[in-house]
Amino acid sequence: MSAAVHRYLLIAIAGLPLGAFLVLAVLAWWGRRWAERTISTVVTLAFGLATVSALVLAGVMACGGERVLTVSAGVWSSPGEYRFDLLLVGDRLSISFAVLTALLVCLIGVFSQRYLHREPGYLRFYLLLTLFGAGVEVVALAGDLDLLLVGWELAGLTSALLISFFHERRKPVEHALRAFLTYRACDVGLLAAVVWLHHTTGTSTAVGTPGGGWAGFAAPAATGDAVLIGALLLWASMGKAAQVPLGGWLPRAMEGPTPSSAVFYGAISVSLGPYLLLRTESIWAGAPAVRIAIVVVGALTVVHVALVGRVQTDIKSALAYASMTQVGLILVEIGLGLRYLALAHLVAHAGLRSVQILRSPSLIHDYHHLERAMNRPLPRTGAHLERLVPGPVQGWLYRYALERGYFDAWLRDHVVGGFVRLVRRADSLDDRWAQRLSAGRAPVRTGLADRREAVTAGRGGSPGTRRKGQES
């Protein structure tokens, strides 16, 4: 098969979802109303064709013995000597994740057709779902970290907007802001890593296949630079993957519609963190400190979530913590260098967790039927673990689980609260400095004050003057 066909297939994987988004965006902009079936058909057809394109490309590459396919889709911009290329790469990692994303979004599009039937925000849901899928496909296929950053931000923005889908209630908006602020704080790490990689190596473009079966990036010559970039990438992945201590937003993100919860927080969105580490492994592979940090973060998350998840009383929160557990295990596998095991674990977990979250409403209904048939509640599970822990320790662990490890309180009081206090102190110093600079000068009269006094004078003076005149 010719190189042109390879190029078109690779571009179609990300181009079809982007095209579907543009169709829906134009529809929403002009206020046109299409039938629900038409809207869902546009989305499912785009992602279905993207899935077929990815599978065909994978088969062609396997038959031809190609391991990496690199395609340029043009130039984004070229300021000065630098060029932002729209570079796409197809390899074992990117095509596997692209197939997973396109297939799951296609299935969610079909499922949502009935789940959101006659929902006022039907078009808005599919618009955001399509933009999310397109952003993730860009992340998966990006052959340049600059382009990956674009898709990364699109995925984060649409995630927050879908958490606040039912914006007429206060809680979804609050939880969307919590997730969005977590994303923004961690995305700084990815941006800084890209900048520092450009500074040290001169490029952020995928180069070669460093013995792992998929494209990698040029590693900095100095170990210190590799450690710094690896730490920044780990920080960026912790936000998307909801790892300790930043995972408090994930159970709150379940305020969104169940289909978006399934594809975002059960499968694809939380998988972007591990995917980023897998894609950039060639950068930090020679820095043992980064590997140790990844293993520690993943292991701490697994232990923390195993405790907190046991006290959850609703099924979506329990599944959210279960997702955090599996993603933590995937990070441990990445840190240990088990890249193919981590990739297989990632794909299997995403598919299974999506089905579980989609099944959760009907599962509760089935449990109620089963309990009525048994005339008693279903027996508890996991009691064998409690027998292994002494009584006093059980009480402490129970409080720890109820408080979600005290991480939310610590972030609220010390991190966010400390930042707010710092800003207020800076504002106070700024006011004092402004007063000191303006000391001895005539007070500056604002236009608003002048107009107010003019209006008062036109009405016969100030309220106090008018009152005295009336009394006399």
Side-chain angles (χ1 to χ4, degrees):
M1 190 175 290
S2 65
V5 176
H6 290 181
R7 181 175 184 270
Y8 292 140
L9 287 174
L10 190 59
I11 293 176
I13 299 173
L16 288 169
L18 285 172
F21 167 74
L22 291 176
V23 170
L24 296 181
V26 171
L27 175 67
W29 177 264
W30 292 104
R32 298 286 301 276
R33 288 190 173 273
W34 285 358
E36 292 182 354
R37 183 177 295 275
T38 304
I39 295 172
S40 61
T41 300
V42 170
V43 175
T44 55
L45 183 62
F47 282 96
L49 291 176
T51 305
V52 173
S53 299
L55 290 174
V56 171
L57 181 60
V60 169
M61 291 179 64
C63 294
E66 294 182 79
R67 303 179 70 179
V68 177
L69 174 65
T70 303
V71 168
S72 176
V75 179
W76 179 274
S77 64
S78 55
E81 298 180 356
Y82 187 76
R83 284 163 50 101
F84 288 96
D85 292 316
L86 298 178
L87 190 66
L88 303 180
V89 60
D91 53 24
R92 298 177 184 180
L93 176 63
S94 63
I95 293 181
S96 298
F97 200 74
V99 170
L100 172 70
T101 300
L103 181 60
L104 287 181
V105 175
C106 180
L107 294 177
I108 293 299
V110 175
F111 178 86
S112 303
Q113 184 176 347
R114 285 193 174 186
Y115 189 88
L116 294 173
H117 178 52
R118 295 189 177 180
E119 169 64 40
Y122 190 91
L123 174 59
R124 176 162 50 94
F125 173 84
Y126 274 95
L127 186 69
L128 294 174
L129 179 67
T130 308
L131 184 58
F132 169 79
V136 175
E137 293 290 6
V138 170
V139 172
L141 300 175
D144 191 289
L145 288 182
D146 301 322
L147 182 60
L148 185 146
L149 182 61
V150 175
W152 188 273
E153 295 300 327
L154 287 177
L157 175 63
T158 50
S159 296
L161 291 176
L162 273 169
I163 295 172
S164 61
F165 183 79
F166 301 110
H167 53 79
E168 62 275 4
R169 293 189 287 115
R170 180 183 179 88
K171 284 299 180 182
V173 178
E174 290 181 352
H175 295 167
L177 287 174
R178 168 74 178 268
F180 187 69
L181 290 176
T182 303
Y183 286 161
R184 301 311 298 155
C186 293
D187 291 352
V188 173
L190 179 57
L191 178 61
V194 174
V195 171
W196 197 250
L197 186 64
H198 275 288
H199 176 70
T200 55
T201 65
T203 180
S204 67
T205 302
V207 290
T209 55
W214 56 65
F217 297 91
T223 304
D225 292 331
V227 171
L228 176 60
I229 295 174
L232 291 171
L233 292 171
L234 174 60
W235 174 252
S237 67
M238 286 171 61
K240 281 286 197 294
Q243 298 297 284
V244 166
L246 306 173
W249 65 267
L250 185 60
R252 294 176 171 86
M254 296 298 175
E255 286 281 1
T258 296
S260 64
S261 299
V263 74
F264 285 14
Y265 316 113
I268 299 175
S269 186
V270 295
S271 299
L272 287 177
Y275 179 85
L276 177 65
L277 295 177
L278 285 172
R279 172 55 72 193
T280 59
E281 184 182 9
S282 59
I283 299 174
W284 49 263
V290 179
R291 289 193 176 276
I292 294 173
I294 294 173
V295 172
V296 169
V297 169
L300 288 177
T301 301
V302 170
V303 175
H304 165 75
V305 175
L307 295 173
V308 177
R310 288 178 59 82
V311 301
Q312 302 305 309
T313 56
D314 63 285
I315 188 169
K316 291 182 77 173
S317 293
L319 289 174
Y321 281 108
S323 293
M324 291 170 62
T325 305
Q326 297 301 316
V327 173
L329 288 174
I330 293 171
L331 257 64
V332 172
E333 295 163 358
I334 294 173
L336 295 176
L338 306 173
R339 49 161 52 186
Y340 284 106
L341 177 61
L343 178 59
H345 192 172
L346 188 72
V347 173
H349 166 256
L352 176 62
R353 197 67 67 198
S354 294
V355 173
Q356 285 182 325
I357 296 179
L358 292 177
R359 179 82 168 84
S360 58
S362 55
L363 180 64
I364 296 174
H365 186 69
D366 293 344
Y367 264 59
H368 290 166
H369 274 290
L370 187 58
E371 287 179 342
R372 284 196 295 267
M374 297 173 61
N375 289 323
R376 63 183 179 86
L378 293 175
R380 291 181 60 231
T381 59
H384 61 286
L385 297 175
E386 297 177 357
R387 289 193 292 267
L388 300 176
V389 181
V393 179
Q394 285 187 20
W396 184 86
L397 291 177
Y398 187 71
R399 289 192 299 271
Y400 175 92
L402 285 178
E403 293 292 337
R404 299 183 179 184
Y406 307 99
F407 286 122
D408 288 349
W410 178 76
L411 289 172
R412 181 182 63 249
D413 298 336
H414 297 283
V415 178
V416 179
F419 179 75
V420 170
R421 289 190 294 270
L422 179 63
V423 171
R424 287 177 177 172
R425 184 171 300 177
D427 182 65
S428 177
L429 291 175
D430 180 71
D431 288 342
R432 293 178 184 178
W433 183 251
Q435 291 174 5
R436 183 173 299 178
L437 290 177
S438 61
R441 298 181 181 180
V444 179
R445 303 176 64 84
T446 63
L448 179 61
D450 292 340
R451 289 195 298 271
R452 188 178 299 162
E453 290 194 5
V455 171
T456 304
R459 292 178 178 175
S462 64
T465 304
R466 292 199 302 271
R467 191 178 300 111
K468 289 179 181 179
Q470 292 172 358
E471 290 176 355
S472 61

